[in-house]
Amino acid sequence: MSNIHTSNLHVEKAASSKLKDVNFENLAFGKTFTDHMFMCDFVDGEWQQPKIVPYGAMPMEPSARVFHYGQAVFEGMKAYKDEHGDVFLFRPEENFERINKSCARLAMPEFPREFFFEGLETLVNLDKDWIQSGVGNSLYVRPFAIAIEPVIAAAPSQSYRFMIICSPVSPYYKGKVRVLIAEHFSRSADGGVGYAKAAGNYAAQFYPTKLAQEKGYQQIIWTDSNTHTLLEEAGTMNVFFRINDTLITAPTSDRILDGVTRKSVIQLAQDNGIDVEVRPIKVHEIVEASENGTLKEIFGAGTAAVISEISAFEYRDKVHEIADLGQNGYAAQLKQKMLHIQHNLSEDKHNWRYPVK
Ligand code: COI
């Protein structure tokens, strides 16, 4: 092992790499991790010296508050390699800002910008051999923060750990996605934590999603908890509806994640002359559009999912199939434009690419 000290960061390199054991042709999402991880503890009211160490298990007391009260937030971002071997992140500033909004909502301390970016870049650079070039391949980067104080009183922790781990991935959804529109369960509520990437938001979806999966649907499109009449998001993705030639997506709110891919899709669509409406969308509007033939597409947008076409939705026991527009669909066209920017294959007029040096 060799040790490197940068200004703030202590790096302990892994003695050997696990890379040779990885089959990149057959990657299950999020099951394989690179050689290193970043960590930084918050103790006595201060973030301590950050470090990068070999990826592996870490001791933690069973009384750590995260295990009892779910004081945990995370982010999802990706690193890409172009054909020359240069590595890029996509809009990491957005993830940095959002994890700190999530931290604030869960009464967790915000993480300092210079620690985040130095840790992120050093880690991705150290493990860059794990990134395969080629559209569709990427390194999923998972920053997260957890409450580690060993106290089970129900109160915010006094100590935290901020970490970043990395996992080489291929697309999250293989093929098209079928969804169920929620009528009973809710993902989030006014005044709640729906806009934050709080770990508990995801745990709470697992049971209703399991019921949906038993009926043949991969995901649920959540509706507003008050009336179940407005379409919101799909939990791992924001959702877009195309009626005739207009793309519609719900406005962000307390209840909806302000997705980085969502805002990039809106911008790319506008750049390409597509009419975009950001407004509340009634379930009945989509059902009616499906019945009168004006509903052309539904797709999800998220970091893991990129842009995933939705081929059918079920509402009140009726299944609505959506015709496949293939490469002519907005989903396919916007996905290609997004991937080309991410992989340094096209102009990046909004400066979304962030070179990792
Ligand atoms: C992401 O797209 O990064 C997400 O957060 C989805 C994840 C839960 C797989």
Side-chain angles (χ1 to χ4, degrees):
M1 285 190 206
S2 65
N3 291 335
I4 308 164
H5 287 270
T6 64
S7 50
N8 287 315
L9 190 57
H10 176 203
V11 180
E12 178 189 328
K13 280 195 169 180
S16 63
S17 175
K18 301 170 293 186
L19 186 53
K20 55 188 178 317
D21 306 324
V22 178
N23 177 4
F24 282 92
E25 302 305 310
N26 188 20
L27 285 173
F29 187 93
K31 276 200 174 174
T32 306
F33 296 94
T34 62
D35 292 323
H36 300 94
M37 60 187 189
F38 169 86
M39 60 203 291
C40 183
D41 284 356
F42 182 89
V43 184
D44 296 333
E46 272 182 325
W47 289 103
Q48 307 294 309
Q49 152 118 40
K51 54 188 182 184
I52 288 176
V53 295
Y55 177 91
M58 53 193 186
M60 203 173 293
E61 294 209 26
S63 54
R65 290 196 204 254
V66 64
F67 298 135
H68 305 272
Y69 306 114
Q71 213 187 355
V73 299
F74 72 95
E75 268 305 318
M77 57 211 292
K78 280 180 176 166
Y80 308 86
K81 189 179 270 179
D82 72 7
E83 53 209 2
H84 311 292
D86 292 327
V87 174
F88 301 89
L89 288 157
F90 184 71
R91 308 187 75 177
E93 183 68 30
E94 298 284 337
N95 301 90
F96 170 71
E97 282 175 12
R98 192 171 61 187
I99 200 165
N100 278 341
K101 281 187 195 149
S102 301
C103 283
R105 180 62 182 83
L106 272 84
M108 300 168 74
E110 295 188 4
F111 197 58
R113 172 182 299 274
E114 61 282 10
F115 283 17
F116 181 85
F117 281 97
E118 189 181 10
L120 177 64
E121 286 184 57
T122 311
L123 180 66
V124 170
N125 209 6
L126 199 57
D127 284 343
K128 70 173 177 220
D129 289 349
W130 289 74
I131 315 176
Q132 303 277 290
S133 59
V135 170
N137 299 318
S138 60
L139 185 71
Y140 186 79
V141 180
R142 170 56 62 90
F144 63 102
I146 51 174
I148 57 172
E149 189 188 16
V151 179
I152 57 168
S157 183
Q158 295 300 307
S159 43
Y160 296 89
R161 178 161 297 163
F162 189 100
M163 300 193 66
I164 308 177
I165 56 176
C166 301
S167 172
V169 293
S170 51
Y172 193 73
Y173 294 108
K174 313 260 183 258
K176 298 204 168 190
V177 182
R178 298 174 74 83
V179 298
L180 187 68
I181 295 186
E183 277 199 275
H184 170 63
F185 294 105
S186 301
R187 173 185 172 275
S188 59
D190 289 339
V193 292
Y195 70 89
K197 254 178 126 57
N201 282 345
Y202 294 77
Q205 295 181 73
F206 291 163
Y207 175 65
T209 306
K210 177 173 155 276
L211 298 182
Q213 283 166 351
E214 284 165 8
K215 292 184 80 182
Y217 300 98
Q218 285 92 339
Q219 282 287 295
I220 292 176
I221 295 187
W222 298 102
T223 49
D224 68 295
S225 56
N226 295 333
T227 65
H228 292 293
T229 59
L230 298 173
L231 292 156
E232 304 224 303
E233 61 148 283
T236 55
M237 320 184 273
N238 294 106
V239 235
F240 287 80
F241 303 86
R242 173 179 171 190
I243 297 185
N244 289 317
D245 287 339
T246 303
L247 208 49
I248 314 168
T249 195
T252 52
S253 70
D254 273 6
R255 304 185 304 258
I256 300 184
L257 189 84
D258 185 7
V260 180
T261 313
R262 172 188 176 279
K263 61 177 81 163
S264 308
V265 166
I266 294 173
Q267 183 68 60
L268 281 180
Q270 288 168 338
D271 290 352
N272 285 279
I274 297 173
D275 283 335
V276 183
E277 292 179 7
V278 178
R279 61 163 173 84
I281 314 152
K282 291 209 167 75
V283 179
H284 279 293
E285 187 180 348
I286 296 306
V287 169
E288 202 181 295
S290 162
E291 284 166 355
N292 68 23
T294 55
L295 179 69
K296 304 293 185 205
E297 288 178 76
I298 306 182
F299 60 87
T303 297
V306 194
I307 291 179
S308 293
E309 283 124 319
I310 290 173
S311 60
F313 69 92
E314 182 184 311
Y315 180 63
R316 297 206 169 145
D317 295 326
K318 183 164 177 207
V319 181
H320 298 254
E321 301 286 342
I322 302 164
D324 184 354
L325 295 185
Q327 293 312 305
N328 296 325
Y330 285 173
Q333 289 170 14
L334 292 167
K335 181 175 177 179
Q336 204 217 34
K337 289 188 189 302
M338 181 89 71
L339 288 169
H340 279 199
I341 295 175
Q342 290 168 334
H343 287 266
N344 194 23
L345 290 168
S346 63
E347 190 204 353
D348 176 26
K349 70 175 188 183
H350 300 291
N351 287 321
W352 288 340
R353 275 194 299 267
Y354 180 100
V356 176
K357 299 266 165 51

